Amino acid sequence: MSQAHYSDEDELPHLESVSNALKCEQSGHVMEAILLYEESIFKMGHMHNADPHKQPLSHKYLKKYESRAKQLREQVKSHLQSSKLLTHITIERDARGRSYQRLLGNYLNDSVKEVHVNEPHLCEQHQFKNLINFFEVLVKNCRYLKYIRLTTRPDPVLSKNQLHILQQIRADLATGNIHMNYQMDESLNDRKIVLSSGIVIKIARGLHYFEPVEDVYALGMCDYDFRKCLPTEVDIWKCRAFAKMPRESNERLAYKQQPKDSMDHGQDMAYSSD
């Protein structure tokens, strides 16, 4: 959790989330910037109420960040309102060949810099396996991916275990220069994946449209194309991109993609050494 402190010179409030929000906005990661501004506003609200002597100053910066967050929200909202349905897909019960790669791979490319995932149900082991498999597909396809924001419901029984798993996933992604943030929302029902390229994916069952594989030694344990599906509906929408695609010359790659010939021979993706 970021800590607040004040400079000796002007006693302006500083929060790590404010600095991160500014960096995200400047680098074109608009969706993440909005949430970081909102986090900063929440924390500064507590600072405002806790220290009467700092209230005029904190009020000034609260207004500033509230205004900026509102402008960015309106920008995203206007993009979403202009979205058009690209395709509707019906997945039948027991269908195969509907892995995340096969279903969504065409939309996961170099134009994706950040991804927001709303997935209400992340409590069971097979649900976390689905999440990890989806993240693998994201990372493998999106060379410029920098931020992942996950929103889910808190586990009512094993909340500590849920947080521990999410922290492990976040730490692993961080080794590849990908920042994952997660937040809990008890009222979350909406299942949605939003890509910074302007693609919005709505799957009625969220990430969990596969039948769990119970036998460890069965096809489908690793390759999701072999898994049977549960019946569901998929809508894929397109709006204006939320951020411009960076130039490779001035943007650090999160993962280095092997040459096509190497990939065709099954060689792995490698973490950036930066």
Side-chain angles (χ1 to χ4, degrees), residues 37-55:
Y37 276 127
E38 291 175 347
E39 179 184 335
S40 303
I41 292 165
F42 177 78
K43 291 177 180 178
M44 290 187 71
H46 282 284
M47 292 164 56
H48 177 85
N49 296 327
D51 191 342
H53 299 290
K54 302 290 191 312
Q55 284 186 357

Side-chain angles (χ1 to χ4, degrees), residues 19-30 33 37 68 113:
S19 299
N20 290 337
L22 291 169
K23 290 177 182 177
C24 282
E25 185 179 354
Q26 291 168 0
S27 62
H29 301 94
V30 176
Y37 276 127
R68 193 61 198 133
K113 297 171 62 179

Side-chain angles (χ1 to χ4, degrees), residues 176-233:
N177 297 322
I178 296 174
H179 303 276
M180 171 191 161
N181 291 310
Y182 56 85
Q183 58 193 45
M184 300 297 167
D185 183 350
E186 293 182 352
S187 63
L188 181 67
N189 288 305
D190 188 27
R191 298 166 175 84
K192 181 169 59 178
I193 301 167
V194 182
L195 310 180
S196 60
S197 57
I199 294 294
V200 180
I201 301 161
K202 298 182 179 181
I203 306 174
R205 291 183 180 270
L207 294 177
H208 313 311
Y209 60 89
F210 299 101
E211 293 185 9
V213 176
E214 298 180 359
D215 190 345
V216 176
Y217 303 105
L219 295 181
M221 177 56 66
C222 299
D223 187 341
Y224 275 42
D225 272 326
F226 289 103
R227 293 199 175 192
K228 291 183 178 180
C229 293
L230 299 167
T232 194
E233 304 292 327

